[in-house]
Amino acid sequence: MSQAKPPRVWVSNANPKKGEVLRVRAQMEHVMESGLRTDPATGKVRPRNIVNRFEAKLGNTLLFSWEPGISIAQNPYIEFTFLARESGELNMFWKDEQGQTLSAQKTITVA
């Protein structure tokens, strides 16, 4: 994941009014190998490697966390909402079973 393309992130409004509900959509590229398939060329089982942790924080406040399982498709997409209460940096973080990480940031400025 360290050499993967940056995640695609969309925030419904980067300059919301206080109390407005914000919607965040994020997608990152990852093969999400379940460890249940075999490689046709070698006949060996492909090693399992899935994204097993996602977190979204605004500053130090945890907004959303997710621990996906093997049934999640390749290139996981996530959508969540939160209430705009204060300005800050929206930090999103993904981690896979091999310990590789990926992150993305968006600035939120509450009016």
Side-chain angles (χ1 to χ4, degrees):
M1 271 189 340
S2 59
Q3 296 180 10
K5 292 180 183 178
R8 290 178 290 226
V9 177
W10 175 83
V11 178
S12 60
N13 185 355
N15 300 300
K17 294 180 181 176
K18 190 170 187 169
E20 185 177 333
V21 175
L22 296 181
R23 175 171 293 177
V24 178
R25 296 176 182 160
Q27 185 174 27
M28 53 87 68
E29 290 188 10
H30 195 280
V31 295
M32 296 296 283
E33 187 57 62
S34 67
L36 302 174
R37 299 184 314 152
T38 57
D39 186 330
T42 65
K44 294 182 180 180
V45 174
R46 293 178 178 174
R48 176 179 155 136
N49 184 22
I50 63 170
V51 171
N52 61 1
R53 184 76 180 162
F54 171 83
E55 287 185 352
K57 292 182 177 182
L58 185 63
N60 293 325
T61 305
L62 180 65
L63 300 174
F64 185 82
S65 67
W66 180 44
E67 294 181 2
I70 63 172
S71 63
I72 301 302
Q74 181 175 325
N75 303 328
Y77 166 85
I78 188 154
E79 184 173 333
F80 62 95
T81 60
F82 69 96
L83 197 61
R85 294 186 177 135
E86 60 186 34
S87 299
E89 195 71 22
L90 175 61
N91 294 296
M92 289 158 282
F93 172 80
W94 292 261
K95 183 178 178 186
D96 72 14
E97 291 182 333
Q98 293 181 351
Q100 295 183 349
T101 61
L102 192 61
S103 62
Q105 296 78 33
K106 288 285 185 178
T107 301
I108 305 296
T109 306
V110 176

